[in-house]
Amino acid sequence: MAGGRPYSSSSSSTMINSISKFTRSPFLLTLTSLLCFFFLFHILSSSSPSKPFSILTSSTTIQQQPHLNPNVHYSFVDSLEKFLSFHGSRRLPDDSVADSAAEDDQQVKRLDDLIWRSETARMPAKFTYDMLWLFQNTYRETFNLTSNGSPVHRLIEQHSVDYWLWADLIAPESERVLKSVVRVHRKEDADLFYVPFFTTISYFLLEKQQCKALYREALKWVTDQPAWKRSEGRDHIFPIHHPWSFKSVRKYVKNAIWLLPDMDSTGNWYKPGQVSLEKDLILPYVPNLDLCDAKCLSESAPKRTTLLYFRGRLKRNAGGKIRSKLGSELGNADDVIIEEGSAGEAGKIAAQSGMRKSVFCLSPAGDTPSSARLFDAIVSGCIPVIVSDELELPFEGILDYRRISLFVSSSDAVQPGWLLAYLRSIKPAQIREMQDNLAKYTRHFLYSHPAQPLGPEDLVWRMMAGKLANIKLHTRRSQRVVKGSRSLC
């Protein structure tokens, strides 16, 4: 992707010559003429009358029981390994291609290869592929921990939304499944520009000063592009999904659209005015736990004998201080499990087992209002009990979380006996209905490659469609309002 930087003329010439060697049919000639001038990573929304964004209703959102597609990668590590291997194997066709009797569909795939080769050169590799290789070459290391003991690479995985979105956008069109977003190759045709800089990998795996220097380089590269200057960044999308990532230069991209885990209102992570629901988008964490599919849900149903389950760190900052209060209040009940734990491999096994044996899973605020635990509960078939007064949820314009979770105010939750009495008062029929809804909602939180319809990648672009009119309003207004005018928006 590259926010508006044209392909070099020498490379463009080579590209056109290579393509001309195997474009014999009028169909392919027409196709190549449309694709071979500029090769950029841009995103064209389907908001035009000819390709409208469809509006999801509850009937289209709720789907069948969860099953994993064996032809789709859901693991970040597995998908990344294949992605990088695939990238390394891409080759331009030789002269013999023109003389072969290949079918048109095979020629289209080769054309896709050429486009792929040119587009992946847009943003310098040190911001994109080098970061992915850095993770790939170090993820087996287990000694690299954060200050609170969490494995660094596991944290990167749960914030890997940047990888999943980019892997879909740069895939050859012949292999893409999503129809809610169209990649275009001229900046003039683009409504949105996706910036594929891996801010979380660079934050955790580079030395502090090295990371800050890379942030500054990425900032300069993006803001030097004509497309950025045209809109002052309002139509650019930055994946900033870990609250520490890109922090040293965020103030320079405050007009851009940020992909976030939540909207912390304490001021610890985001400065006042930096983030808003109008401008930015909340994305789900990548679940740490494996999907409890239809067979698993059926087998685990009679084993769910624990009323309420929580495993995690009980001492947190900011809104997360409620955790220790809840631990003191709930820890002594017979059918409740509240235990301290971390996110290592042993912690994952324990959490997965505990959630699959529980009816309700406690999801309190942490250092920020959100937590990956909410999405772990969803894919485990455990009804989330959300105690986080400032929480903003992903895709809430599409998904109704009241169908799959319970919301409890912090003041009620810490009242002696209140929360357990409330949970025990919920009728079995309501519990079964919410469990059925959980099974149907899981597809909306499973990142994958290829990205699937109604998966999180798809819902990102459907939500973006609702922002386009406002983005265009602010962009066009900024282009015509006289500087120094008091007509502020």
Side-chain angles (χ1 to χ4, degrees), residues 288-307:
N288 290 314
L289 307 186
D290 300 329
L291 172 69
C292 186
D293 61 13
K295 182 174 182 288
C296 166
L297 290 171
S298 175
E299 293 175 349
S300 66
K303 301 176 183 177
R304 293 184 183 271
T305 56
T306 301
L307 177 68

Side-chain angles (χ1 to χ4, degrees), residues 93 111 175 212 235 241 244-245 248 293 347 361 393 443 477:
L111 190 60
E175 298 176 9
K212 287 185 175 181
D235 50 10
H241 201 259
W244 293 340
S245 62
S248 58
D293 61 13
C361 284
L393 292 162
R443 68 181 302 175
R477 191 174 181 281

Side-chain angles (χ1 to χ4, degrees), residues 309-313 337-342 346-348 350-351 373:
Y309 179 81
F310 172 86
R311 177 182 173 82
R313 296 196 172 274
I337 296 177
I338 304 291
E339 58 187 9
E340 185 82 19
S342 63
K348 172 184 175 178
R373 186 172 294 98

Side-chain angles (χ1 to χ4, degrees), residues 175-362:
E175 298 176 9
R176 295 184 69 241
V177 178
L178 294 190
K179 305 302 180 185
S180 54
V181 60
V182 178
R183 187 184 66 219
V184 297
H185 313 294
R186 292 178 0 111
K187 64 179 180 293
E188 294 80 8
D189 297 333
D191 290 317
L192 298 169
F193 298 79
Y194 181 76
V195 182
F197 178 36
F198 293 92
T199 59
T200 302
I201 293 178
S202 51
Y203 176 81
F204 280 112
L205 298 185
L206 296 179
E207 296 295 331
K208 184 175 181 179
Q209 295 306 316
Q210 186 183 12
C211 176
K212 287 185 175 181
L214 192 68
Y215 283 175
R216 291 192 295 269
E217 287 185 62
L219 174 70
K220 184 178 187 308
W221 189 91
V222 172
T223 56
D224 279 348
Q225 305 306 315
W228 176 275
K229 295 175 180 178
R230 182 183 70 181
S231 68
E232 296 179 342
R234 291 178 175 88
D235 50 10
H236 282 56
I237 301 169
F238 278 83
I240 309 178
H241 201 259
H242 191 280
W244 293 340
S245 62
F246 220 48
K247 195 170 184 179
S248 58
V249 297
R250 285 178 188 167
K251 63 183 178 181
Y252 302 108
V253 295
K254 63 182 180 180
N255 288 338
I257 305 158
W258 295 6
L259 304 182
L260 302 165
D262 58 40
M263 294 196 175
D264 170 50
S265 61
T266 65
N268 291 335
W269 308 108
Y270 310 112
K271 300 296 183 183
Q274 279 189 339
V275 296
S276 69
L277 283 176
E278 176 191 27
K279 177 178 74 73
D280 305 310
L281 191 64
I282 306 296
L283 268 65
Y285 292 72
V286 177
N288 290 314
L289 307 186
D290 300 329
L291 172 69
C292 186
D293 61 13
K295 182 174 182 288
C296 166
L297 290 171
S298 175
E299 293 175 349
S300 66
K303 301 176 183 177
R304 293 184 183 271
T305 56
T306 301
L307 177 68
L308 182 65
Y309 179 81
F310 172 86
R311 177 182 173 82
R313 296 196 172 274
L314 294 172
K315 293 183 179 180
R316 305 303 271 177
N317 298 315
K321 291 179 180 178
I322 191 154
R323 291 190 182 188
S324 59
K325 297 178 182 178
L326 290 170
S328 300
E329 167 60 24
L330 303 170
N332 296 322
D334 291 337
D335 51 357
V336 174
I337 296 177
I338 304 291
E339 58 187 9
E340 185 82 19
S342 63
E345 191 60 32
K348 172 184 175 178
I349 294 171
Q352 186 159 291
S353 174
M355 286 189 170
R356 292 184 180 186
K357 294 177 181 177
S358 304
V359 178
F360 299 103
C361 284
L362 187 63

